[in-house]
Amino acid sequence: MSPRGIRARRPRVPKRTIWLAAGVVVLAGTGVTAVSVTGGTGGSGADDASRPAQAHTLSLDGKDPKKRELPRTDTQLFSLVGVSWEDGADDFEGTAQIRTRGAESGTWTDWRDLDFGIRAPETEEGDASRVRGASEPLWVGPSDAIEARVVAGGKETAVPDALRLDMIDPGDEKGGKGQGKGGGNGKGKGQGKPSAESGTGESATATAGATPSGEDAEPTTAPEEPAEPTQEPTEASATEQPAPSDAPAPSEEPAQEPTATEPGAPEPSQEPTTEPAVPSEEPTAPAPSDVPTQEPTEDPATLAPSEEPASEPTTAPTTEPTTEPSAAPEPSGSTSPAAPDAPAIVSRADWGADESLVVDPPSYLDTVDAVFVHHTAGTNDYDCADSAAIIRAILTYHVESNGWSDIGYNFFVDKCGTVFEGRAGGVDKPVRGAHTYGFNGYSAGVSLLGDYENGGTPTAAAKQAIADLSAWKLGLHGVDPEAKVTLTAAGDTGVYDTGEQATLNTISGHRDGYATLCPGATLYSALPEIRGAAGASVYAR
């Protein structure tokens, strides 16, 4: 995202009509119009105080072909703003400035520049008929009035056609519900509170395999009471949870006192009931033969055969708790073999993504060769409690204003070091994003909330989060986060011509591949430190 107002014109890309998404944009006349209401989280039983995200537009009409001005105008509530125009292939040269009135304070801000370092993806998604040209979105916080001025500059002799202001109200949704046509990631809730689980592989592994992890959670509570009540009900639960052998592993742990059990007890690894390790409860209950792991010895954690108390028990307690649980989430559907534990990631459902906005299912890359670091610009004064709202607003802007299929970035990080899932498709999968024109086909994009070109400084927590996330994401594909890679530009980026070979760091800044100031001077200068931290990260392979 480039904090500059004027940039070099880039060659047009031929447009093709590929798809038309729901929530068609309706241009406003002379006033503000709500063009879309994101109802993905709505539905019966919704909290009366809950307000869904909305996109409002205000057309910028005028007789002067080179300039558009909007006097101070009251509007509906919004927190993020940008300008867009009809032809997505028409790159605007000039300046666009806005000032807004705080909804609570009633105070007007100074003039602020809108940036133009944004480009539709170099794929069919970017050629779709609904794609519009647009500035970068600017987070301004809750506002209820706006003033704007747009002036053509450089070689431009006129402002673009159908120029308008796009104002986004992120609503106050607490979390998303359901999956839309975009094919969400189908993740569980385990990753929704990274602050509590930050650094633990389990929260992220839950991300990778929601179904297994969800089943694991139940067994772990059941075995905690090895008393009579546990034994009898366990027989019932044995039938209920024929979950993967990994799931019961933790539940066997409490059963580590099965010294008086029959050595022949079937299925020591899967059902705590099979090896009724509870001494008080005579394991007379026949272990269900549904999971007869013929070799209890194979599962050190089983300790079932009391005949081998010397070696088995000693190994079991140590290995089982650590190995079993981590093994369960590992086969989480990752495209690469044996994915390592992942950092905690807030899911789309938990930050309130409206999946009904997403029209096309995600597309995937063969591999992820690099990570490009971005910033969202806007303000650094946001509260981390507002991070989800900022991301909801960007999702609405990318779909309703830009006309893209989904939010562009694969991940977001806020100044508190919290990581958020971006584009749908699976955090552990090589989802193709829309973040670095010319190199989207080889990379993942992570964007830090805030402006790091105009004085902002990335926090230590944010830098470490970017390092850990990058190390993990690249590690899934066997890529060294401190290495270099040569990629072929898939478009004219202002830095490279189409087909030109670009040698880049595997963790690069947006400006390394595209003509922009993004990710801002201070964040860009921190990249060497981030690469070093990624190389030393516990998530590096």
Side-chain angles (χ1 to χ4, degrees):
M1 288 148 224
S2 170
R4 57 188 175 183
I6 304 177
R7 63 192 174 83
R9 186 184 185 85
R10 294 184 300 275
R12 291 174 177 249
V13 179
K15 297 172 56 182
R16 291 176 291 167
T17 300
I18 306 299
W19 47 262
L20 184 61
V24 179
V25 174
V26 178
L27 291 179
T30 57
V32 180
T33 301
V35 297
S36 69
V37 177
T38 62
T41 57
S44 59
D47 186 344
D48 292 338
S50 180
R51 187 179 73 259
Q54 288 186 319
H56 311 292
T57 64
L58 184 60
S59 60
L60 295 174
D61 297 323
K63 296 182 179 179
D64 188 337
K66 195 177 180 68
K67 182 170 63 176
R68 292 286 185 273
E69 292 183 323
L70 177 74
R72 295 185 177 187
T73 303
D74 289 343
T75 68
Q76 295 178 342
L77 192 68
F78 70 94
S79 294
L80 180 142
V81 64
V83 296
S84 68
W85 52 92
E86 187 174 33
D87 189 350
D90 186 2
D91 295 323
F92 175 65
E93 293 182 41
T95 59
Q97 296 178 310
I98 57 95
R99 55 188 310 193
T100 57
R101 183 180 68 197
E104 293 184 4
S105 67
T107 303
W108 284 87
T109 66
D110 293 330
W111 285 102
R112 301 180 67 182
D113 290 330
L114 294 177
D115 307 327
F116 292 92
I118 195 171
R119 184 83 180 270
E122 66 279 34
T123 59
E124 293 182 347
E125 178 182 353
D127 292 339
S129 60
R130 73 188 294 261
V131 170
R132 294 173 60 83
S135 70
E136 294 283 6
L138 177 68
W139 179 261
V140 294
S143 307
D144 58 11
I146 192 168
E147 181 177 3
R149 57 192 185 197
V150 181
V151 180
K155 297 179 181 178
E156 291 284 354
T157 57
V159 296
D161 294 331
L163 186 67
R164 76 185 192 202
L165 279 172
D166 289 77
M167 296 163 287
I168 311 297
D169 172 13
D172 58 0
E173 297 296 337
K174 305 305 178 190
K177 298 177 184 177
Q179 304 296 327
K181 295 180 182 178
N185 64 355
K187 306 308 174 199
K189 298 179 182 178
Q191 57 183 344
K193 293 152 182 75
S195 53
E197 305 175 15
S198 193
T200 69
E202 295 186 0
S203 65
T205 46
T207 307
T211 309
S213 62
E215 295 174 341
D216 287 349
E218 300 177 5
T220 43
T221 40
E224 284 184 9
E225 302 178 350
E228 313 169 352
T230 336
Q231 282 306 356
E232 298 176 7
T234 41
E235 287 190 32
S237 63
T239 33
E240 298 173 357
Q241 52 177 50
S245 59
D246 316 336
S251 60
E252 293 169 21
E253 195 174 358
Q256 284 175 333
E257 9 176 65
T259 50
T261 19
E262 357 177 41
E267 75 127 40
S269 65
Q270 186 130 355
E271 302 297 332
T273 56
T274 32
E275 21 176 31
V278 184
S280 58
E281 274 286 311
E282 214 170 292
T284 50
S289 57
D290 46 354
V291 195
T293 48
Q294 307 165 335
E295 302 180 11
T297 49
E298 216 169 3
D299 232 11
T302 58
L303 319 174
S306 59
E307 303 180 341
E308 310 174 38
S311 43
E312 297 284 345
T314 27
T315 316
T318 322
T319 347
E320 198 238 347
T322 48
T323 311
E324 295 284 26
S326 58
E330 195 168 65
S332 57
S334 168
T335 50
S336 61
D341 288 343
I345 301 173
V346 176
S347 70
R348 287 170 65 94
D350 284 336
W351 57 255
D354 177 7
E355 301 296 357
S356 69
L357 282 176
V358 185
V359 177
D360 280 1
S363 59
Y364 297 90
L365 310 175
D366 291 331
T367 186
V368 173
D369 296 307
V371 168
F372 281 97
V373 178
H374 305 255
H375 70 162
T376 60
T379 179
N380 297 310
D381 296 330
Y382 67 90
D383 189 286
C384 288
D386 296 326
S387 298
I390 295 174
I391 298 171
R392 285 199 304 272
I394 294 175
L395 165 63
T396 305
Y397 188 87
H398 280 181
V399 175
E400 295 292 355
S401 300
N402 292 109
W404 298 351
S405 173
D406 192 358
I407 202 165
Y409 305 106
N410 296 100
F411 301 95
F412 289 89
V413 171
D414 69 12
K415 62 186 179 183
C416 291
T418 304
V419 179
F420 299 81
E421 176 183 11
R423 180 162 286 212
V427 294
D428 62 336
K429 294 185 174 65
V431 178
R432 182 176 191 127
H435 50 85
T436 307
Y437 183 81
F439 298 97
N440 288 312
Y442 315 99
S443 62
V446 53
S447 190
L448 179 58
L449 301 185
D451 181 356
Y452 299 96
E453 177 63 25
N454 299 300
T457 302
T459 64
K463 290 184 288 187
Q464 187 62 52
I466 294 172
D468 287 340
L469 177 65
S470 300
W472 171 71
K473 191 65 179 177
L474 291 172
L476 291 174
H477 303 274
V479 177
D480 181 351
E482 297 184 274
K484 289 185 179 295
V485 64
T486 299
L487 307 174
T488 303
D492 295 338
T493 71
V495 178
Y496 296 99
D497 295 328
T498 303
E500 188 176 351
Q501 298 293 295
T503 298
L504 304 164
N505 290 297
T506 52
I507 298 179
S508 286
H510 187 185
R511 65 170 68 177
D512 290 324
Y514 185 79
T516 175
L517 295 182
C518 178
T522 57
L523 180 53
Y524 187 77
S525 64
L527 290 182
E529 176 189 349
I530 290 173
R531 291 184 198 106
S537 172
V538 294
Y539 301 105
R541 295 183 71 179

